[in-house]
Amino acid sequence: MSTNLIIQNIEKHIRLTEAEQQYFVSLLVEKNLKRKQLILAEGDVCKYSTFVVTGCLRGYTIDKNGFEHVLNFAPTNWWIADMYSLLSQKPGILHIEALENSTVLMLSKEDHLNLYEKIPAFERYFRILIENALVALQQRMIDSMSLTADERYQKFCTTYPSLINSLPQKQIASFIGVTPEFLSKLRGQQIKKKI
């Protein structure tokens, strides 16, 4: 199982003994996903937090007109879940899909709670993750109301530098709230500025 990356991620925030690391790793389920494979569909109850070892996942909704709206991306070394569904254990609102062949580590809701009991330091770790996610979501909402499309694209490039050239343009456009055609014009203007 590919656990070095997740242990490094955790140890940025908390220190674990060897026994605690082994216990944590024993709770994880490794899964290999094919491109376009869903690990969660709207209406399903989210039972896992998912850590991306390799590849990239996205969380998105589909509106009543059939348009997709990307809420977030989870490249290598990021976590993803439908937080509403995971915490409430009610049917979710997100689809979570692999954008490319990916390897993930999944931690069930039940094991997550057991982890808090056996290794209380994990409450700190996941609190930090949730706080960071809340701040990022708030900033994204403010950005969508106050930044121009060009500024939102620049912010995307800063936040997800590894995804700029690997994601389809329509995914990036959906995330920043523009059409793919408009994003193409933005990119063209930036290339002209650099020349």
Side-chain angles (χ1 to χ4, degrees):
M1 188 181 304
S2 316
T3 57
N4 289 344
L5 187 62
I6 196 169
I7 295 298
Q8 289 170 8
N9 182 290
I10 290 165
E11 292 206 324
K12 290 177 187 172
H13 305 290
I14 61 172
R15 294 283 167 240
L16 299 173
T17 66
E18 187 65 35
E20 289 170 337
Q21 286 182 23
Q22 288 175 4
Y23 175 70
F24 172 69
V25 167
S26 75
L27 301 178
L28 300 172
V29 175
E30 184 172 318
K31 191 168 186 175
N32 293 310
L33 305 171
K34 299 282 186 208
R35 183 177 174 270
K36 294 195 173 200
Q37 183 177 344
L38 287 175
I39 61 167
L40 186 72
E42 180 181 0
D44 293 347
V45 174
C46 184
K47 298 185 183 314
Y48 295 91
S49 296
T50 302
F51 180 82
V52 181
V53 178
T54 62
C56 184
L57 278 60
R58 70 173 174 138
Y60 66 98
T61 62
I62 301 175
D63 69 21
K64 63 183 178 183
N65 296 318
F67 294 109
E68 293 181 2
H69 303 279
V70 177
L71 179 69
N72 57 350
F73 294 106
T76 297
N77 205 25
W78 287 47
W79 287 89
I80 191 168
D82 181 326
M83 292 304 294
Y84 164 77
S85 180
L86 183 68
L87 296 174
S88 70
Q89 288 299 280
K90 293 180 179 174
I93 53 175
L94 288 182
H95 298 271
I96 298 178
E97 173 190 57
L99 290 172
E100 56 192 54
N101 292 344
S102 303
T103 300
V104 299
L105 298 173
M106 302 174 80
L107 178 65
S108 74
K109 166 84 171 170
E110 182 181 336
D111 286 336
H112 198 126
L113 295 176
N114 290 336
L115 195 56
Y116 290 163
E117 292 290 319
K118 297 209 179 198
I119 309 172
F122 270 100
E123 285 191 311
R124 172 179 159 70
Y125 171 71
F126 283 107
R127 178 184 52 79
I128 290 168
L129 292 185
I130 290 169
E131 287 173 351
N132 289 342
L134 182 59
V135 167
L137 179 61
Q138 178 180 306
Q139 190 59 54
R140 183 149 182 247
M141 289 174 64
I142 291 167
D143 291 350
S144 71
M145 293 183 282
S146 60
L147 297 181
T148 66
D150 185 47
E151 291 167 330
R152 291 194 308 272
Y153 178 66
Q154 291 305 319
K155 199 151 195 183
F156 173 86
C157 293
T158 302
T159 305
Y160 299 104
S162 64
L163 302 183
I164 298 164
N165 296 316
S166 63
L167 286 180
Q169 192 161 293
K170 72 177 190 171
Q171 302 291 341
I172 297 170
S174 173
F175 184 82
I176 65 171
V178 299
T179 64
E181 296 77 16
F182 189 80
L183 179 59
S184 183
K185 285 180 187 176
L186 278 177
R187 285 179 155 178
Q189 290 168 355
Q190 288 180 349
I191 290 169
K192 286 179 185 175
K193 285 180 187 175
K194 290 179 183 176
I195 295 176

